[in-house]
Each structure stands twice: as C-alpha cells, then as structure tokens.
Amino acid sequence: DQIFIKFDVAPMKFRALLFGIFLSVASFAQTGNYFLSHFSPDEERFNIMCFDIVQDDRGVFYFATQAGVLQFDGRNWDLIETAGTIYSIERSAEGEIYVAGSQGFGKIVRDEFGVETYQVLYKQDGAEYIFQIITLTDRIYFLSDKNLFEYSLQTGQVKVQTTTEQTGAFISLHEIFDKIYVGTEINGLFEVDSDRITPASIGLSDSTALIFALKYNDQYLLGTDDNRIYKYTENKKLKEIKLEDAVYANAGVILNATWVNEKLIAIGTLRGGVMFINPQTGKTEEIINYNTGLRDNEVFALICDKNQNVWVAHAYGFTRIAPFLPFRSFRYYPGLEGNLLCATTYRGKVYVGTSAGLFKLEKEEFYDEIEYFVEIPIKVKAKPGKKEKAPEPEVVAPAVEPEDTKKGGFFRFLRRKKKEEATKPAPTTTAPIVIPKEESKEPPPKAAFRREKRTKKILRAAYFRYKKVEGIDSKVTQLIHWQNKFIVAGLGGAYEVAEQSVNQIIQDPIRFLFASERSKSLIASTYDDRLHQYKFDKTWVEARVVESINGPVNFIFEEDSAAIWFCGFDKLFRLNLADTSRQVQTLDIDKRNFDQLLGIAFNKQVFIATSSGFYFYDAKKEALVEGDTLRKPVAYFANARNMWFRDSHSWYTVGKSDVHNNLQLLNLFSNIRFMDSDSERGSLWIITGNNELLQFNSESPRKDEVLFPLILKSIENNNVLIPRKDKVEIDQDNSSIRVEVVRPDFIGARFIEYRYKMEGLNEQWSDWSTTYNIIPFPYIPTGDYKLLIQSKDIFGRINELDPVIVEVVPPYWRQTWFYALEFAIFTMLVILSFRLSHRYNVVSRLLSLLSIIILIEFIQTAAGSTFATNSGPVVDFLIQVCVAFVILPIEGFLRRFMLRSIDKNKSIDEKNPEPEKTNVE
C-alpha cells in the first residue's frame, strides 16, 4: 500500500508567504537596525531621479540626474548644468569627474573663480544616450546601446566601435583585471580590444547577463540578471555566494551592489530595498527597506563612501546607511504605538513606554497553512482468475504564480533576450510526495482510494514585533530595575511586571517614582502632590515617608546614606536621614528656569542641574553654591546613578556609568527628549524629538573617520566672484569681501564649527560658531592681510585652510607713485619760481604760493593716510584738523622763506641791472 500526499498552495497563500519573507528578513534579530540619515535637495529646483553616484577625494558627492550633475558637500546643494540628462558619472584615478548622458560625454572642471562647470568632450545629437563609464589610467570608455566610445586621455581622440549582428545591443560595460568586457543582448560577454570586439567567457552561462563587476583588493564581485552573486578571483575561479535569503533576492530583483569591506557587501534591489550580505558566508546581516526606515524600496543607485557608509538613491532623495556607527534603531519593528517616552532592557527583552502604554519586543513566528489531500487505499477482495491493475494515483501540480515579465526602464539587462529551453519542464513549487509502505509478501488485491483533506502549519519565518503588555493601558513615563524586579510607572500608577503577569502596586497617577537601594523601598510622588513609600514583604505595604513637603516633586535622588533630595519646580527639599527628627531643609533656586531640576550625588558631592547653570551643596554652610567651573547646560538628563549634560559644544557625563566613550556622537541630535543607561547592555537608550528610538553603544569600537579637507568655496568682492590667485587684490574704495568655506561632513554637518582670524587686522581668533562658514568683511583698510580659517567637527578634530592672502590697494592718490609725482611737481615749481623771480616777479610769487599749497596738501594727505581709521567721518575730520594745526607753522615758514628769497633776488637784480646791448659794426 502507498499513501500519496498532494500539496495545494493557493496564490493568495503564496503572496502571504512572500510577505512573511519580506517581514522576517526586515526584522530578523533583536539587535536593532542600522542607523539611517536622510538627505534631500530643494524639490522645487531639482529632480531627484538619480542614475549614478560618485564621491571625489575631497569628500564631495556628485549625483547624475535629469537636471544635470547635483553636488552635495554635506551642507550645500549645487547644480552643475550640463547638456541633457546625465545617466552615468565616474571618477578617474587622477580624481577627475567624467559624466555622460543623452548628448554625449564630458568632465567637470573648475574655472578661474573656482566654480565647477561642465566641459564637453564629445557631443552627439541625442538619438541615443550613454549610460555607463569605465575609467582606466590612460583611457575612458563610454557605452551606449549601439556604440562603445574609447577616449584617449593623452590625445583627446575618440574611437568608436559599433554593435554587430553577432552582439546585438550593448547592455553593460565591465572592467575585470584590467580587461574591458561588454555585455550584449544576444551572445553574452565580449572582450574589447583596441580595434575589435571578440567573444569572451569568464565562466558564466550564456543564458545569463552580467550586470555588475565590482573590484575589492584582488577579487571581484559579480552579479547576474538571474539574481545570483559570484566572487571572481585572480586565478580565474568563479565561486557563487549562496545567499541565505535567495528567495528575497529573487523577489526583490538585484540591480546593483557595492563593497563595504571584505566581510560586508550591500546589494540594491528593484523592490526590496538594500540587502547587507557577508560575501564569505552568504549570511544576511541586515535588510534595509521601507519596514526598517528606508523611504522607498526601489533603489536607483548606491555607493559606499570613504567612511564605509552606504548611500542609496531613491524617489524621495538619498539615504545614508551607517552600519558601523554605534547606533541601532528600534523604532521600525511593527506594533509600536503612541509617542515614545522611555525604554529599557529587562532579562534580554526590550520594553518601551509610550503614551499608549507599555510595549514589549517579542519574537513572533510566521506560519503558512498548507492544505493537502491524503489518499487512503481501501482493500477490495480480488476476483479469482482475474488480475486488475491498480489505478494510478492522481498527481496534481500545485498552483504557481505567473512569472513577472514586466521588464524595462533604464536598467537594460531587465529586457535582455534570453534563449528558451524547449526541454525544460514547467516550474512547480512542490512536487508530489510519495510515502512507501512495507510490501506484502502475497500479491496485493485490487485497491480503491478515498481522499481526505487535511491542513498543516509550516513555520516559514520568525521575526520580532512589539506587543502591548496587557493591563497597562495608560501613559508610561518610567521603567525601573530594582531588587530583581521590573517596575513600570506612569499615569496609571506603578506596576510590577513579571514574565507572564502584571501586579499593580500604586493606583494613583505618578509624577516620579524613586527606587531606593538603601531603604529597600519605593518612594512615589503622585499628582495629588503627596509622597508615598512602599516596601515589599511578601506583598507591597504602604508607609508614609514625608508629610512636611508641600508642592509637586518631579525628581528624587539619594545623597549617599546621608539624605534624600526632592526636586520641585523651583525648590529643593533635603531630608536628613541622620536626624531622628526627620526635619526637611528647603533650598531655593534664585534663577528661574523652564526645565525641571535634576540632581545626582557623586564622590560625596551633590550636583544640581538647572537650565541656568549648575549648583553644588555646601554641607558646612547648608546652602547651595552656584558653580562657575561648568558651562550652562543646553540639555541634561539624570537617573539614580548618572547625569548627562551638553553645553553649547559637547556632551559630558557625571556618575558611575561606564558609558563614556564617543559621547560626542550625541551631537548628531539636537532634540533629544529621553536618555537613560541600560545596565544589561552597557549602552544608552535615546529618544529624539521625531519619535526615533535608538540604542547607543558608546563602548563599541568606531572605525576612524576620514577627515576631509576644508574647502574654499568662493571669495566675493561686492557680490562679484574674485578669480582664484595667490593673492586677492581689492581696491580700498570697494574693500568689502565675503569668504565662504565648507568642510564636507555627512555625520554631523550641521554641527561643524568654524573660526577665523585676519592677521594684520585682528590678531585674536573669533569664537567657534556653526555660522562662520561664511565670513563677511564690510570694510578692510589699506594693507596686506592673511586670513586664517579653521573648522572643528563633533569629535573636536580641527582642520585649517591654507592662508588666504588679501591685499587692499589704496586709491591712486594714496599710492607711492602719486606721492613721488606730487613731490616732483613741487620741486619743479620751486625751481621754476626761483628762475622766474628775476624778471617775472608776479608769476614767481604765484608759483611759490602754488608750490606751498601742493606741499601742504602732500603732507596732509600723507599724514591722513598714515593715521587713517575706520571710526567714522567725525573722527577723520578731527584728525585732519589736528594735522592742519601741526603743519600750520611749516606753511608759515615756507611762505616767508620763499617770498623773502624772491624779494632778495629782486633787489639784487635792481642793484645790478644788465648792460644794454649795442650794435657793433
């Protein structure tokens, strides 16, 4: 006898299975998702359809778009206008950027003003478009459907090779071990020589098309249009990487990929986001798609930057995925509701308190229900002398989803003509299963079968999702680990949460709940402005702790074993535990603030944090003393063991926590609403203003970031760009300049600070500021100057720009040559006046007076130029008056001297007249 089992998988169940696979790989571990940052230019100005991405040596990104080449330095978006749409962009070994598109190809160059522009190298009429570029040391290859262009870097000549009947249309271009291969629509790969294209093979089947070949060290990552990934080594060995989630890759359709490092690659898909794969094992490390924060599952292009972050282009802009930043997102697991308020880990499970209650991250199994039929044989008594043949079991192939044949768009390989295999059977999802039974020793009698329908659940995947903890339906503000118990507090009161149960401790709404390690009790501040104490002795017992404190209490902490502090809105209450009378000391904060008072006791010192500054408790004076060693905090958080605070530049911590390293990464978030340490994981939980939940592992080793140089973007004089030269020369009459710099940074570009110093004008550095990337100088006096500019990132690393030499040229009437000309004219007039004094007394006197006027003006101009200031016209007028009073005696002396000399010459001429001339025959 035999039992035939037939599986019948309906199309709707297949779709549910596919959805389950998508969901499972999106959240396959409770370690959180990679940290994402989103970037988008001005949508009214730019089209975000991006075809290719490249990063230059300075760190600046270039995006190939319909509008041209879009440039991004982390702070500014700029558009480099080109001819037509740009489909491909590539950087050469020398650092030059080459682009190609609908009207030929060219490269990006800088003009005399330092502005990047498009330079045409080859122009065509637009009948075809160039969609791929490969750069070598001495030549560049450009590929279109019909032509392969070879551009020589030495001669600038373009050589063209066209398609043939043997190749069909060109679909891809690859460089593998310094050889150029072109993928064709008919016969697979061809190798490109200097003057011909010949068939070639690297071990791939002719029925598949190579869509990318990416080099890393001495190996290549190859991807084919059947959604397979291979490694190709220098010894010409081709090894397939068996993807752990091959079903997801097939469903998503692989388009492109990039190396992150030797143990991680990123694969972009058409409808499944980005898969992060270990190329050595094929294991899926992470999948980033819409369910995990990516804004769109369709990946246009992707690239790994110089800091091992993956940039993804999609319909809504660009997303940077940072696998090695010590942040993991826990926001995108399904099931979470409400505004996030607090988070922690208890016994390996993540708990999140929200405005809607308490949620727990749990593993959930996804089952697929399969219907099948069991054919049970019915024994029938055989007739003598007649042998009947047993009926053959009916075998029905399961339902199969039709193959998606809609292929097209910019990706050429999706519409490649494939050879049909006539002998290949139709695909099936599952084959009939035959289960044999032990054969009878005697000939079997004639058998009949009856069919029974049965169902079976098969575990398809397991994923994590948030589930609401039953019994806690109101706002949760605190999650506390205490005495091997997990306590939850909020508007519904306080609860003890166990693995399978919830026990309510307090029913009154709670402002703040403090778990005292020393008194082994809970102290609760409720919304009726009362304080309650609860102890656990087989059950929870209430006892009054303080009755003399009036007013709301928002925070409680212990001062070693000496006292308990209660922080109100504007007052502090200190309960001395050593005093048997339990008197309460009230301390006022003089400076009002909008944030709550927080405190911590560390190293026998009490720190009180307010938005107006820090205070310390002086036990001898029994008073608060305002601190002057710490800057005013911009943000601060505290728990029973630690305090974290940020001034205008950096983050700091005080307390017993081991979470100290890399705290400056917290500068990435300007609107942190919650921060608390996780004792189980040795990390920090952070909730930002946009409801993002992150786990920050500050102790994890961070890869050294590449420090990009500080770039001089532009220098403007009266809103006009100045050509880039060794020295910037401007006129004093128009001495207004504006200098713009930028430091490419894509982790914390908004928090890059700048400072400057103009040597010769001001010898002191300016303060650090995020706005000093643009430095205006409305007026600069005559002289030579050296402008120094520095930048500082969130880690405190400083970059300095090469000095900018500025020379302010005075007007012509203040230049040396003009002074020399004035002096020469004065000397000439003096000499001429003396020469003419013998006969032309009146003219001589006029010339003498003119000489004196010129000399006085010369002295006054020189003095005024020497003592010139920028204080205003009144001060300048007073200086000119002082100069006039100083040179007044000089003017009188010169006038008397010259006129006396003229009169003396005249009297001599009168006493000694010239003899009359006579004619001598």
Side-chain angles (χ1 to χ4, degrees):
D1 297 337
Q2 292 180 330
I3 297 178
F4 296 93
I5 302 177
K6 181 188 68 176
F7 292 96
D8 187 9
V9 184
M12 288 299 295
K13 295 184 182 298
F14 179 78
R15 293 190 183 95
L17 172 62
L18 185 61
F19 171 76
I21 294 174
F22 267 82
L23 191 58
S24 65
V25 296
S27 305
F28 67 92
Q30 198 183 353
T31 57
N33 307 123
Y34 291 158
F35 181 68
L36 308 183
S37 301
H38 304 288
F39 304 89
S40 179
D42 184 2
E43 296 183 5
E44 295 180 358
R45 181 179 176 187
F46 299 111
N47 191 318
I48 308 181
M49 183 68 180
C50 175
F51 303 101
D52 204 359
I53 311 172
V54 74
Q55 186 182 27
D56 70 2
D57 296 330
R58 304 173 303 164
V60 179
F61 278 97
Y62 298 82
F63 305 95
T65 70
Q66 286 179 307
V69 176
L70 190 60
Q71 186 186 56
F72 183 51
D73 56 27
R75 194 180 186 110
N76 307 294
W77 294 91
D78 297 304
L79 181 65
I80 303 174
E81 295 184 358
T82 59
T85 300
I86 299 301
Y87 292 109
S88 183
I89 186 167
E90 189 65 42
R91 182 177 63 89
S92 69
E94 291 73 22
E96 294 183 314
I97 305 297
Y98 290 87
V99 298
S102 60
Q103 296 189 20
F105 56 83
K107 67 177 182 178
I108 305 299
V109 296
R110 293 186 182 88
D111 61 15
E112 60 176 345
F113 303 105
V115 178
E116 292 185 300
T117 59
Y118 173 69
Q119 178 183 340
V120 178
L121 299 178
Y122 178 84
K123 185 175 179 59
Q124 59 184 11
D125 56 3
E128 58 177 330
Y129 61 84
I130 300 172
F131 57 85
Q132 199 168 355
I133 305 173
I134 294 291
T135 62
L136 299 181
T137 56
D138 58 344
R139 58 194 183 279
I140 313 292
Y141 288 93
F142 302 88
L143 186 70
S144 68
D145 280 355
K146 302 177 181 179
N147 296 302
L148 174 63
F149 303 90
E150 180 183 323
Y151 176 76
S152 174
L153 295 177
Q154 285 77 20
T155 63
Q157 295 181 349
V158 178
K159 183 186 299 183
V160 182
Q161 299 189 56
T162 60
T163 58
T164 64
E165 294 182 357
Q166 186 182 11
T167 63
F170 295 144
I171 60 174
S172 60
L173 188 64
H174 314 284
E175 180 272 326
I176 303 176
F177 295 117
D178 297 326
K179 293 184 177 180
I180 299 298
Y181 297 88
V182 58
T184 65
E185 198 171 39
I186 297 179
N187 288 320
L189 280 180
F190 282 72
E191 184 177 344
V192 178
D193 293 330
S194 59
D195 55 352
R196 60 177 181 168
I197 298 177
T198 57
S201 175
I202 58 173
L204 294 173
S205 171
D206 290 339
S207 62
T208 61
L210 181 64
I211 58 176
F212 59 78
L214 306 170
K215 185 178 182 180
Y216 186 85
N217 294 335
D218 58 348
Q219 59 183 335
Y220 282 77
L221 182 73
L222 308 183
T224 58
D225 65 343
D226 57 355
N227 301 308
R228 294 186 178 184
I229 304 295
Y230 301 85
K231 282 199 298 186
Y232 190 62
T233 57
E234 198 168 6
N235 56 8
K236 309 300 191 235
K237 287 186 177 180
L238 188 67
K239 180 181 179 181
E240 183 179 0
I241 301 173
K242 299 294 184 180
L243 299 181
E244 181 183 58
D245 289 302
V247 176
Y248 186 89
N250 283 322
V253 182
I254 294 176
L255 297 179
N256 40 44
T258 184
W259 286 93
V260 180
N261 57 36
E262 190 175 3
K263 296 183 179 179
L264 190 66
I265 58 175
I267 301 174
T269 67
L270 181 65
R271 49 178 178 257
V274 182
M275 301 175 65
F276 286 86
I277 307 295
N278 186 330
Q280 299 178 355
T281 62
K283 179 183 177 182
T284 303
E285 300 293 341
E286 183 72 85
I287 289 186
I288 301 298
N289 55 22
Y290 186 78
N291 295 322
T292 55
L294 193 64
R295 292 182 174 177
D296 197 292
N297 281 345
E298 182 182 2
V299 175
F300 294 160
L302 80 165
I303 187 179
C304 182
D305 67 13
K306 296 180 182 298
N307 288 317
Q308 297 189 357
N309 302 307
V310 175
W311 286 71
V312 181
H314 47 72
Y316 299 95
F318 309 96
T319 297
R320 180 178 58 88
I321 306 171
F324 301 106
L325 273 182
F327 292 102
R328 289 294 180 269
S329 174
F330 282 79
R331 175 68 180 89
Y332 296 102
Y333 293 104
L336 201 56
E337 300 174 1
N339 292 322
L340 309 187
L341 302 174
C342 53
T344 191
T345 303
Y346 180 68
R347 293 184 178 177
K349 299 293 181 64
V350 175
Y351 288 85
V352 181
T354 76
S355 57
L358 180 66
F359 293 84
K360 179 182 179 182
L361 187 60
E362 289 188 337
K363 189 175 183 179
E364 188 170 277
E365 296 176 338
F366 183 82
Y367 288 90
D368 183 37
E369 187 175 277
I370 296 179
E371 296 180 355
Y372 64 96
F373 294 90
V374 178
E375 296 184 348
I376 301 176
I378 301 174
K379 291 185 179 181
V380 180
K381 185 177 181 180
K383 294 181 179 180
K386 187 176 181 181
K387 188 175 182 180
E388 293 185 0
K389 184 179 180 181
E392 294 184 0
E394 180 184 1
V395 180
V396 181
V400 180
E401 282 286 286
E403 184 181 0
D404 183 10
T405 58
K406 185 179 180 181
K407 298 181 180 180
F410 175 70
F411 305 101
R412 314 293 296 175
F413 68 89
L414 291 180
R415 55 186 181 86
R416 179 179 182 267
K417 297 177 182 178
K418 295 188 176 182
K419 298 179 180 179
E420 297 182 358
E421 299 179 16
T423 58
K424 185 175 180 180
T428 58
T429 54
T430 52
I433 300 176
V434 180
I435 303 177
K437 287 193 172 183
E438 295 183 0
E439 295 183 358
S440 176
K441 295 181 181 179
E442 297 181 359
K446 180 180 178 181
F449 296 89
R450 62 182 177 87
R451 305 176 72 212
E452 289 186 2
K453 182 180 179 181
R454 298 181 183 180
T455 61
K456 184 178 182 180
K457 290 185 176 181
I458 296 179
L459 178 64
R460 291 300 186 188
Y463 62 96
F464 285 90
R465 68 175 294 125
Y466 286 102
K467 291 186 177 180
K468 191 171 184 181
V469 176
E470 298 296 333
I472 305 178
D473 300 320
S474 59
K475 184 178 182 180
V476 174
T477 57
Q478 284 182 266
L479 304 173
I480 301 172
H481 298 251
W482 180 74
Q483 299 289 315
N484 294 324
K485 299 180 185 298
F486 183 43
I487 310 297
V488 178
L491 294 184
Y495 305 84
E496 179 186 351
V497 178
E499 188 69 26
Q500 300 295 333
S501 63
V502 175
N503 179 26
Q504 188 166 24
I505 305 171
I506 307 172
Q507 295 182 352
D508 297 328
I510 294 178
R511 290 184 186 273
F512 188 82
L513 183 66
F514 176 66
S516 174
E517 295 290 343
R518 297 175 180 85
S519 63
K520 311 298 183 188
S521 63
L522 297 177
I523 302 174
S525 169
T526 58
Y527 271 78
D528 57 1
D529 297 338
R530 295 183 179 181
L531 294 171
H532 305 267
Q533 183 181 22
Y534 291 82
K535 291 191 175 182
F536 184 79
D537 184 13
K538 296 183 181 180
T539 184
W540 291 99
V541 180
E542 181 181 0
R544 290 286 181 184
V545 58
V546 177
E547 296 182 355
S548 57
I549 296 179
N550 296 320
V553 173
N554 294 317
F555 191 78
I556 306 171
F557 68 97
E558 287 181 328
E559 180 189 347
D560 299 327
S561 59
I564 299 178
W565 288 75
F566 302 88
C567 302
F569 287 135
D570 54 0
K571 293 184 179 181
L572 293 162
F573 306 94
R574 184 178 182 270
L575 174 62
N576 192 346
L577 298 178
D579 188 356
T580 56
S581 63
R582 295 294 181 96
Q583 292 184 353
V584 176
Q585 180 185 3
T586 303
L587 302 167
D588 292 327
I589 297 294
D590 296 333
K591 297 181 179 179
R592 301 285 180 175
N593 61 85
F594 295 98
D595 297 320
Q596 63 177 340
L597 302 177
L598 299 180
I600 186 177
F602 179 68
N603 285 342
K604 299 182 180 181
Q605 178 68 62
V606 173
F607 297 80
I608 304 296
T610 73
S611 60
S612 59
F614 286 92
Y615 293 81
F616 302 93
Y617 180 69
D618 190 332
K620 294 181 180 180
K621 298 180 180 179
E622 294 186 348
L624 291 175
V625 179
E626 187 173 0
D628 56 0
T629 58
L630 297 176
R631 297 181 179 179
K632 183 172 68 173
V634 176
Y636 52 92
F637 304 91
N639 60 15
R641 294 166 50 88
N642 309 281
M643 178 181 290
W644 302 270
F645 63 93
R646 183 186 186 275
D647 60 15
S648 57
H649 298 282
S650 303
W651 277 94
Y652 305 93
T653 181
V654 176
K656 302 176 182 179
S657 173
D658 295 330
V659 184
H660 297 296
N661 296 337
N662 296 334
L663 278 182
Q664 303 316 317
L665 277 172
L666 298 180
N667 286 322
L668 298 178
F669 313 101
S670 58
N671 55 349
I672 296 178
R673 295 191 291 109
F674 169 83
M675 183 185 298
D676 199 2
S677 59
D678 191 325
S679 57
E680 288 192 8
R681 299 193 178 188
S683 57
L684 287 177
W685 285 101
I686 298 170
I687 298 176
T688 65
N690 57 357
N691 229 28
E692 178 70 58
L693 175 60
L694 298 169
Q695 189 179 63
F696 172 50
N697 184 7
S698 67
E699 292 297 316
S700 62
R702 177 180 171 275
K703 179 179 173 59
D704 291 337
E705 295 284 336
V706 175
L707 190 63
F708 295 122
L710 190 58
I711 301 173
L712 178 62
K713 282 184 67 70
S714 65
I715 304 177
E716 295 182 3
N717 175 222
N718 289 340
N719 298 322
V720 177
L721 288 174
I722 300 176
R724 299 286 181 85
K725 297 180 180 179
D726 295 336
K727 180 187 294 185
V728 176
E729 295 184 0
I730 57 177
D731 295 331
Q732 184 180 0
D733 294 339
N734 299 303
S735 60
S736 171
I737 66 170
R738 178 181 178 273
V739 179
E740 182 178 0
V741 298
V742 68
R743 153 81 188 284
D745 188 280
F746 306 97
I747 295 180
R750 294 179 301 161
F751 305 100
I752 297 290
E753 295 181 311
Y754 302 86
R755 69 175 183 175
Y756 65 93
K757 177 174 65 173
M758 180 73 88
E759 290 186 355
L761 183 65
N762 188 354
E763 299 301 323
Q764 299 296 326
W765 284 98
S766 68
D767 294 331
W768 289 105
S769 174
T770 57
T771 61
Y772 284 163
N773 66 305
I774 299 177
I775 309 170
F777 293 95
Y779 173 79
I780 304 177
T782 302
D784 295 330
Y785 304 94
K786 182 187 292 185
L787 177 61
L788 305 177
I789 305 175
Q790 292 180 343
S791 66
K792 182 173 66 173
D793 62 11
I794 60 175
F795 301 104
R797 300 176 300 187
I798 295 177
N799 273 17
E800 185 166 345
L801 184 71
D802 292 337
V804 179
I805 307 301
V806 179
E807 180 183 1
V808 180
V809 181
Y812 71 92
W813 46 271
R814 285 190 176 182
Q815 296 189 31
T816 305
W817 66 267
F818 188 78
Y819 292 152
L821 179 61
E822 280 189 315
F823 184 79
I825 293 175
F826 164 74
T827 304
M828 183 183 67
L829 290 175
V830 170
I831 296 174
L832 185 61
S833 66
F834 278 101
R835 290 295 185 101
L836 296 177
S837 63
H838 296 282
R839 293 191 177 185
Y840 306 99
N841 187 34
V842 176
V843 176
S844 177
R845 285 177 176 271
L846 291 176
L847 290 176
S848 298
L849 293 175
L850 182 59
S851 301
I852 293 171
I853 293 172
I854 293 176
L855 178 61
I856 297 304
E857 183 64 26
F858 171 76
I859 296 174
Q860 191 169 3
T861 302
S865 176
T866 303
F867 300 104
T869 65
N870 301 324
S871 303
V874 177
V875 177
D876 290 341
F877 173 74
L878 293 176
I879 290 176
Q880 291 178 3
V881 171
C882 294
V883 172
F885 275 109
V886 170
I887 65 176
L888 183 61
I890 300 175
E891 185 269 339
F893 170 76
L894 291 174
R895 180 167 48 83
R896 290 192 300 270
F897 171 76
M898 295 186 68
L899 293 178
R900 188 182 302 116
S901 299
I902 294 172
D903 292 338
K904 184 178 180 181
N905 291 337
K906 179 182 177 182
S907 61
I908 293 173
D909 292 340
E910 290 177 351
K911 291 179 180 180
N912 301 300
E914 293 183 2
E916 294 182 1
K917 295 182 180 180
T918 57
N919 292 329
V920 180
E921 293 294 337

